[in-house]
Amino acid sequence: MAAATFSSLSHKISISFSPTPNKSFLSYSSPNLLNLPSQTPNLPSLSTISPKPSLSLLATRPRAAASDVPATPATAFHGVCYVVGDNIDTDQIIPAEYLTLVPSNPEEYKKLGSFALIGLPVEKYPTRFMTNNEFSSKYSILIGGDNFGCGSSREHAPVALGAAGVKAVVAESYARIFFRNSVSTGEVYPLESEKRLCEECKTGDVITIELAESLLINHTSGKEYKLKPVGDVGPVIEAGGIFAYARKAGMIPS
Amino acid sequence: MASSTISSSSSSFINQKDVNFPCFTPKCCKPITKNVVSVMAPQQSQRTPSSTGSVKNGMTMTEKILARASEKSQLRPGENVWVNVDVFMTHDVCGPPAFDIFKKEFGENAKVWDREKIVIIPDHYIFTKDERANRNVDILRKYCTEQNIKYFYDIKDLGDFKANPDYKGVCLAQEGHCRPGEVLLGTDSHTCTAGAFGQFATGIGNTDAGFVLGTGKLLLKVPPTLRFVMDGEMPDYLLAKDLILQIIGEISVSGATYKSMEFVGSTVESLSMEERMTLCNMVIEAGGKNGVIPADATTYKYLEDKTSLPYEPLYSDEQARFLSEYRFDISKLEPLVAKPHSPDNRALARECKDVKIDRVYIGSCTGGKTEDFVAAAKVFLASGKKVKVPTFLVPATQKVWMDVYSLPVPGSGGKTCSQIFEEAGCDTPASPNCGACLGGPRDTYARMNEAQVCVSTTNRNFHGRMGHKDGQIYLASPYTAAASALTGYVTDPREFLQ
């Protein structure tokens, strides 16, 4: 069997759907532009801030299932935050013994979520991210320090967080592979803070993140913080992950 | 997060100079000088206008490899380019999800971009009764058969690894899949090991892997390069593991984030391929994107009997610009450990001599190669005594296992490593695989299932890395690990080697 070359592949293969969660709210422009949204679409804004953790993303995220309808775009995240420190490595996010779970299997994806952050040492984190028998955490926003996600390349790390219900991570800085995996999968939205928010916020604080203004609002403390613009990966995140981006860029057929 | 216990001798052999390089994104602009001791006048490394009249900038090895792979004549750090992949590797943990994503995105009947450029190595969770782990190897086999993957190192008989002619364990380099100048991507953070061959090698996740499977390309950002110049004769109580622990302790676990690490100098040139692999293996522990060592006669010799595919090495230009340069006088280094719970928690082995340990683990892609076992055997031989704590030996590949049982150890009068290990009271060398380096299923051989103190030749010592959340792992060279096994405490190998 002849190996398909890249160009012939594009003529032979048909793409059935785009399952990657769509956080885009901009139409694709150019791969090299650093784009911040110039206009936000008409979406209902959150007029009342409720501490209920269930009030979160505007976007729905189809997981492990085909979806022909693109999800509504996200402009904000709202929920209760869980705060961790520096150098949270992938062994803490999802210990290796759980890596036999294959994320593309819906049952195992859900199970993976139940083990998210289970590796955090108890003495340092007495308030656990998730309690036993839970599949979804009440914390939908993760706030971290430096070098978040260091260690292994296991994509199970951002996937477990996403499966557990984390919508966004706000860290001072990221380890490269974790950041990349977050962007490629679209499982969690990786944001960078200007300050050490892990020292400014406490687990349980109610947070809103306004993407358009790159702003994080801590309703519990009443303080606001600037976030860093998303940078070069903006177009990839906006497209909804590496596959969606590649389709928009014409690298692979739609 | 560099160790606070920088020894008094460190100031005489470290000097660091910062070259200001234009940063293109916030991510590569993190200041890296915060923990570094600078003791010499900065050296000139920026090219002067008179040295070149050409418009082209000099490029580093990494920049050149990525330029060629993206079919561009010139690249600068910070650029995002679509890179052609020469070899893609995956294993039993990440292979199944990567293939699932590939099928979901390209179609149930899609074919991989090139069946000869994909290397599938089941090596992580092999010798276990865990049903899901075993199932994952079966899933891999199904995909490999479907796609007619040329290089699938299958294992069917889990009870006897030797009964499987194809099964190798962690074996990319050994099987000739690493070649100078190429781009190798793998679903394992320690793919960077292959940088020892002068190629661009880095770890990626399952989604990126699914993309590569279908297209043979990936969008990569060109990293700036940190240069590490190591000169001086390597003392006979030091190994490459000590060198990389020194570096990580110097720049911290995020010191090389988004950057390439280039290792040059007379010491590096004197290292064998396996030692060079150890050096590049832990690049990821400093956050590095990739590591590179220029290919030379040592490289070509190693490759002679392993690959027949042509390759064209690339080298950093004279006028290449590096983000920073670090210089080390290796002759002044001492054996090191990384204390719990971070690979940058560097300390002198001799300063940890009061740390009582419960076990020693010698294995993994970092410290489970043939030369690693020969090194450990040398220490046991020199001592002539028995180990005081359980000492687990897990060869990384089948070939290593065979070497352990057949190669004579220099100075032993013809004894093999296995004989020396047996006389020293070590555990019998186990079936080759990644083993307990990352814990794994509960029944993994040598997994740390209780809170114990372990000296290990592996690569990470974060909380829970080898299994138990409260385990304490001291990362060390095979010399230091063997010495520690003999005393039951963290021990400087000079106790036995001098």
Side-chain angles (χ1 to χ4, degrees):
Chain A
M1 169 200 51
T5 60
F6 179 69
S7 52
S8 62
L9 190 78
S10 63
H11 294 301
K12 287 180 191 164
I13 305 300
S14 64
I15 307 299
S16 45
F17 55 82
S18 166
T20 46
N22 197 339
K23 293 188 203 266
S24 69
F25 49 92
L26 262 199
S27 58
Y28 165 78
S29 43
S30 137
N32 290 319
L33 273 182
L34 268 177
N35 250 330
L36 281 182
S38 52
Q39 55 178 15
T40 49
N42 267 338
L43 285 169
S45 57
L46 298 168
S47 50
T48 50
I49 306 300
S50 152
K52 278 199 294 262
S54 55
L55 187 69
S56 56
L57 249 200
L58 300 176
T60 54
R61 185 162 45 199
R63 277 322 315 167
S67 164
D68 298 308
V69 180
T72 44
T75 55
F77 302 109
H78 177 80
V80 182
C81 75
Y82 188 86
V83 181
V84 292
D86 296 320
N87 300 314
I88 299 299
D89 67 278
T90 47
D91 280 285
Q92 290 182 71
I93 298 175
I94 186 79
E97 64 183 295
Y98 305 113
L99 299 184
T100 50
L101 296 163
V102 176
S104 33
N105 176 318
E107 269 304 306
E108 297 187 15
Y109 173 85
K110 201 171 152 210
K111 250 192 138 183
L112 204 59
S114 71
F115 297 121
L117 291 171
I118 202 174
L120 289 176
V122 177
E123 318 77 47
K124 232 177 147 190
Y125 300 95
T127 307
R128 306 306 288 165
F129 177 73
M130 235 152 40
T131 56
N132 285 339
N133 305 319
E134 262 190 324
F135 283 99
S136 193
S137 170
K138 63 180 195 269
Y139 307 100
S140 60
I141 293 173
L142 205 52
I143 294 184
D146 262 326
N147 204 21
F148 187 88
C150 60
S152 160
S153 63
R154 62 189 71 157
E155 197 172 88
H156 302 70
V159 170
L161 292 176
V166 174
K167 309 294 183 202
V169 181
V170 182
E172 209 183 334
S173 67
Y174 290 91
R176 185 204 141 238
I177 309 180
F178 177 89
F179 184 87
R180 210 195 149 84
N181 286 343
S182 299
V183 170
S184 293
T185 57
E187 282 284 356
V188 293
Y189 205 110
L191 294 156
E192 268 185 305
S193 57
E194 300 264 353
K195 287 170 110 171
R196 275 181 73 73
L197 294 192
C198 56
E199 282 169 14
E200 302 270 332
C201 303
K202 286 187 327 295
T203 295
D205 286 355
V206 178
I207 306 283
T208 296
I209 298 171
E210 294 284 352
L211 286 177
E213 289 127 65
S214 294
L215 203 62
L216 183 144
I217 305 161
N218 184 329
H219 300 287
T220 308
S221 69
K223 293 197 179 150
E224 284 186 2
Y225 304 92
K226 209 69 182 103
L227 298 174
K228 288 191 183 168
V230 122
D232 285 356
V233 291
V236 182
I237 298 181
E238 283 153 27
I242 184 77
F243 281 98
Y245 175 78
R247 286 189 188 101
K248 282 188 168 153
M251 293 296 287
I252 57 180
S254 302
Chain B
M1 258 194 79
S3 166
S4 56
T5 59
I6 295 180
S7 74
S8 53
S9 63
S10 69
S11 54
S12 60
F13 62 83
I14 306 276
N15 91 54
Q16 177 267 349
K17 169 210 157 350
D18 216 354
V19 177
N20 270 333
F21 199 102
C23 284
F24 296 91
T25 70
K27 287 171 189 48
C28 78
C29 273
K30 260 253 177 255
I32 58 166
T33 57
K34 31 186 177 182
N35 295 318
V36 180
V37 176
S38 173
V39 286
M40 271 174 64
Q43 282 151 300
Q44 201 54 270
S45 113
Q46 284 207 339
R47 65 189 170 102
T48 53
S50 58
S51 68
T52 171
S54 77
V55 174
K56 280 194 178 180
N57 290 323
M59 290 194 283
T60 65
M61 189 188 314
T62 295
E63 288 156 27
K64 284 170 106 166
I65 295 172
L66 293 179
R68 187 168 71 185
S70 59
E71 294 162 44
K72 291 183 162 16
S73 60
Q74 186 77 29
L75 274 186
R76 288 184 308 175
E79 284 190 53
N80 289 290
V81 288
W82 289 98
V83 172
N84 295 326
V85 179
D86 292 292
V87 179
F88 166 73
M89 181 281 291
T90 188
H91 49 61
D92 54 298
V93 171
C94 294
F99 272 103
D100 282 344
I101 291 168
F102 160 72
K103 290 196 142 202
K104 201 156 72 167
E105 297 287 348
F106 291 103
E108 266 304 308
N109 299 319
K111 291 290 172 227
V112 295
W113 104 94
D114 189 328
R115 61 171 284 271
E116 300 198 4
K117 292 189 175 172
I118 298 169
V119 179
I120 314 257
I121 313 177
D123 58 11
H124 274 60
Y125 302 156
I126 303 305
F127 305 106
T128 170
K129 291 195 162 47
D130 185 302
E131 282 176 6
R132 265 201 308 265
N134 297 335
R135 169 205 70 176
N136 291 345
V137 180
D138 291 339
I139 292 176
L140 266 191
R141 185 176 308 111
K142 184 179 80 131
Y143 284 135
C144 287
T145 313
E146 236 174 59
Q147 301 287 337
N148 197 9
I149 299 292
K150 183 170 180 183
Y151 300 107
F152 173 44
Y153 296 96
D154 197 2
I155 181 164
K156 290 188 173 131
D157 185 338
L158 302 181
D160 177 9
F161 70 89
K162 287 172 263 145
N164 303 277
D166 292 331
Y167 179 70
K168 299 282 186 271
V170 184
C171 68
L172 258 184
Q174 180 191 288
E175 295 303 306
H177 296 298
C178 301
R179 285 170 292 269
E182 289 194 359
V183 170
L184 163 67
L185 300 181
T187 59
D188 192 290
S189 58
H190 293 108
T191 307
C192 56
T193 305
F197 290 85
Q199 64 176 142
F200 178 89
T202 194
I204 58 174
N206 306 333
T207 301
D208 281 346
F211 190 91
V212 173
L213 281 172
T215 64
K217 287 179 193 280
L218 195 65
L219 185 65
L220 290 174
K221 191 200 314 242
V222 181
T225 301
L226 299 175
R227 189 173 239 207
F228 297 89
V229 185
M230 288 176 271
D231 288 311
E233 194 177 321
M234 188 86 155
D236 56 14
Y237 45 82
L238 278 193
L239 290 169
K241 180 67 171 279
D242 296 294
L243 303 185
I244 191 64
L245 285 180
Q246 172 68 25
I247 291 172
I248 298 170
E250 201 62 41
I251 68 175
S252 92
V253 287
S254 56
T257 301
Y258 283 95
K259 301 175 186 110
S260 177
M261 296 173 74
E262 189 174 304
F263 304 104
V264 295
S266 59
T267 317
V268 177
E269 287 161 30
S270 74
L271 295 177
S272 64
M273 283 316 296
E274 289 199 358
E275 283 281 83
R276 294 179 189 191
M277 285 193 260
T278 304
L279 200 56
C280 290
N281 175 279
M282 288 182 71
V283 153
I284 182 64
E285 270 55 78
K289 185 156 181 155
N290 71 303
V292 279
I293 293 178
D296 59 12
T298 307
T299 322
Y300 310 140
K301 185 103 185 74
Y302 182 94
L303 289 172
E304 248 170 32
D305 61 344
K306 295 184 182 61
T307 185
S308 53
L309 289 182
Y311 53 83
E312 197 191 313
L314 289 168
Y315 302 92
S316 289
D317 291 329
E318 267 296 299
Q319 276 75 41
R321 296 162 91 182
F322 297 91
L323 197 59
S324 278
E325 186 174 277
Y326 296 78
R327 292 188 162 267
F328 298 86
D329 178 356
I330 299 305
S331 64
K332 297 196 169 67
L333 265 190
E334 299 183 66
L336 297 169
V337 293
K339 300 188 292 186
H341 299 273
S342 177
D344 66 8
N345 196 2
R346 179 185 65 184
L348 292 174
R350 62 175 165 81
E351 283 177 353
C352 298
K353 64 182 192 332
D354 294 327
V355 175
K356 193 164 193 304
I357 66 175
D358 300 302
R359 45 162 56 201
V360 166
Y361 185 94
I362 301 178
S364 83
C365 53
T366 317
K369 304 182 286 298
T370 299
E371 290 178 22
D372 298 313
F373 285 105
V374 171
K378 275 204 239 170
V379 174
F380 291 132
L381 188 70
S383 149
K385 303 257 188 340
K386 285 194 184 295
V387 295
K388 296 212 162 83
V389 293
T391 303
F392 305 103
L393 312 169
V394 186
T397 78
Q398 256 215 61
K399 179 175 187 301
V400 173
W401 187 96
M402 296 194 300
D403 287 345
V404 163
Y405 275 92
S406 61
L407 286 185
V409 174
S412 69
K415 287 188 189 164
T416 62
C417 288
S418 55
Q419 286 171 311
I420 295 170
F421 292 145
E422 194 181 330
E423 281 167 15
C426 301
D427 257 43
T428 308
S431 304
N433 73 122
C434 295
C437 170
L438 70 162
R442 290 288 159 117
D443 64 346
T444 303
Y445 174 77
R447 186 183 193 273
M448 202 190 293
N449 292 322
E450 292 164 340
Q452 292 183 317
V453 182
C454 177
V455 173
S456 176
T457 64
T458 54
N459 44 61
R460 291 192 189 120
N461 57 353
F462 297 121
H463 285 282
R465 173 69 181 174
M466 292 184 87
H468 198 284
K469 246 199 275 198
D470 300 316
Q472 294 191 61
I473 304 162
Y474 286 75
L475 301 176
S477 79
Y479 280 161
T480 305
S484 305
L486 288 166
T487 63
Y489 290 81
V490 174
T491 303
D492 187 310
R494 285 175 288 188
E495 297 289 314
F496 300 100
L497 289 178
Q498 282 189 323

